[in-house]
Amino acid sequence: MLSIILTILMIIGITAAVIAGIILLIFFYPMTYNIDASYHGKIKAKASANWLFNIVRIRFELINNKPVYSVKIFNFTLLSSDKKKKRRKKKKGRKPSDAGRHGEKALSISENKKSNTAGRVDNEFSEAAFQSENNSGGGNSQKKEFFLVRIFRNILDKVKKAFTSVKNIKEKTAVWFDEEHKKLYAFLWVNIMKILRKIKPKEFSFVIQAGTGEAYSTGTVVSWYSVFYGLLQLDWIDFRPDFEEKKFEMDLHAKGSFSVGPIALTALKIYRNEDFKKLILNRVR
């Protein structure tokens, strides 16, 4: 009897240890990613991510300005751009027959004829009205005055509507800048920055080669860049001016890794925040 109880406890312990190991792997095994993008007259982009000993694989590539992507688990495709193309081809119905095309053409021709005749009648009517107004003589000045008054009234109405819309926008947006929202924004800023620091790439390079074709204007661009370089801390950009040729080229490379667990815990912390539930989630729902 004792041996049976010990065997059951051992099985329970092994099962719990396996489950705990799987949870630790999911939460703390790093996901690696690699991003390469460039612009040399044409945009090129390629990105990949691997997780859990390459069990989960994500691929993305921009080929001829068309995105090609795939998400695989155990080499089984969950999401792919090829599958979407096949579905679209299946959804396409049969092509219309020649008889149907001829019928559609006949209907369109008859409709065009009707619209042309209606247009001629309207033009004749408008010309007749215009001639009668010209023949009226002294009434033209009064009509012009009434016409100018209408224009002036329309302008005033539009200005009033613009002012009322601005007031409504101010009243609606004022709710988003009270003390509760400011407190929520500070909380979100701190936690979002935590997530960004955790997914920050270990290898990063961003090179820009640019020139206007003139040395003077390129120097002006460099001087403005140096101003923003200090203010916005753009030390992550390698700007290389070209004082001879007119060009714009770009190369970006990023490589890094991050664990899903800490990011998931931070996201859960944001989700469970009372101000976030009250001010954001309840309004969305």
Side-chain angles (χ1 to χ4, degrees):
M1 185 71 182
L2 183 62
S3 61
I4 295 170
I5 293 170
L6 290 173
T7 304
I8 293 169
L9 290 173
M10 185 177 67
I11 292 168
I12 292 169
I14 291 169
T15 306
V18 169
I19 293 169
I22 291 169
I23 292 170
L24 288 172
L25 274 176
I26 290 171
F27 275 83
F28 296 103
Y29 190 87
M31 175 184 282
T32 59
Y33 63 90
N34 195 349
I35 301 169
D36 288 296
S38 64
Y39 177 79
H40 296 273
K42 192 176 181 181
I43 299 173
K44 292 182 181 180
K46 193 174 182 180
S48 63
N50 299 315
W51 188 41
L52 288 176
F53 308 102
N54 291 337
I55 293 172
V56 180
R57 289 181 293 170
I58 303 169
R59 298 289 182 270
F60 174 84
E61 191 172 359
L62 197 65
I63 300 173
N64 296 325
N65 293 328
K66 291 182 180 179
V68 178
Y69 57 88
S70 65
V71 180
K72 294 183 178 182
I73 297 178
F74 287 108
N75 210 20
F76 177 75
T77 303
L78 286 181
L79 186 66
S80 176
S81 55
D82 295 332
K83 284 187 176 181
K84 283 197 170 184
K85 288 178 182 177
K86 289 178 182 178
R87 287 175 186 173
R88 286 174 186 173
K89 286 180 181 178
K90 287 180 181 179
K91 284 181 181 179
K92 286 182 179 179
R94 295 179 182 177
K95 293 182 179 179
S97 61
D98 293 334
R101 288 177 184 172
H102 289 303
E104 289 176 359
K105 284 183 180 179
L107 287 171
S108 63
I109 290 166
S110 62
E111 287 176 358
N112 287 329
K113 284 181 179 179
K114 287 179 182 178
S115 63
N116 289 329
T117 54
R120 287 175 186 173
V121 172
D122 291 336
N123 288 330
E124 289 175 358
F125 181 76
S126 62
E127 286 177 0
F130 182 73
Q131 287 177 0
S132 64
E133 286 179 358
N134 286 332
N135 293 328
S136 62
N140 288 336
S141 60
Q142 292 179 356
K143 288 180 179 179
K144 286 180 181 178
E145 288 178 0
F146 284 123
F147 182 68
L148 291 172
V149 169
R150 285 178 196 168
I151 292 172
F152 186 69
R153 284 178 180 174
N154 288 331
I155 292 169
L156 285 176
D157 291 336
K158 288 180 179 179
V159 171
K160 287 179 182 178
K161 287 179 181 178
F163 276 113
T164 53
S165 62
V166 169
K167 286 181 181 178
N168 291 330
I169 290 168
K170 283 184 178 180
E171 289 175 359
K172 289 179 181 178
T173 55
V175 182
W176 294 87
F177 294 98
D178 57 4
E179 292 299 324
E180 288 185 348
H181 281 86
K182 287 178 181 179
K183 183 182 175 182
L184 176 63
Y185 298 151
F187 171 78
L188 290 174
W189 175 260
V190 171
N191 287 279
I192 289 169
M193 290 305 294
K194 282 182 182 179
I195 293 173
L196 291 176
R197 279 194 292 268
K198 285 167 185 174
I199 66 174
K200 183 180 177 181
K202 295 177 181 178
E203 295 179 12
F204 183 82
S205 65
F206 186 34
V207 181
I208 296 175
Q209 295 179 353
T212 61
E214 296 179 357
Y216 178 76
S217 56
T218 304
T220 305
V221 173
V222 173
S223 62
W224 278 105
Y225 171 75
S226 61
V227 171
F228 287 105
Y229 182 87
L231 291 173
L232 302 177
Q233 296 180 356
L234 301 176
D235 53 347
W236 50 277
I237 298 177
D238 185 6
F239 182 69
R240 300 175 184 177
D242 193 332
F243 293 93
E244 296 179 357
E245 296 181 4
K246 184 179 180 180
K247 63 155 60 169
F248 179 81
E249 296 178 351
M250 182 194 74
D251 290 286
L252 179 124
H253 172 72
K255 187 177 181 181
S257 62
F258 60 91
S259 298
V260 178
I263 293 172
L265 290 173
T266 306
L268 182 64
K269 184 180 177 182
I270 293 171
Y271 179 77
R272 294 186 65 184
N273 182 267
E274 293 297 328
D275 293 329
F276 183 76
K277 288 180 180 179
K278 178 183 174 182
L279 301 174
I280 304 296
L281 293 180
N282 291 336
R283 290 184 180 181
V284 172
R285 290 170 186 172

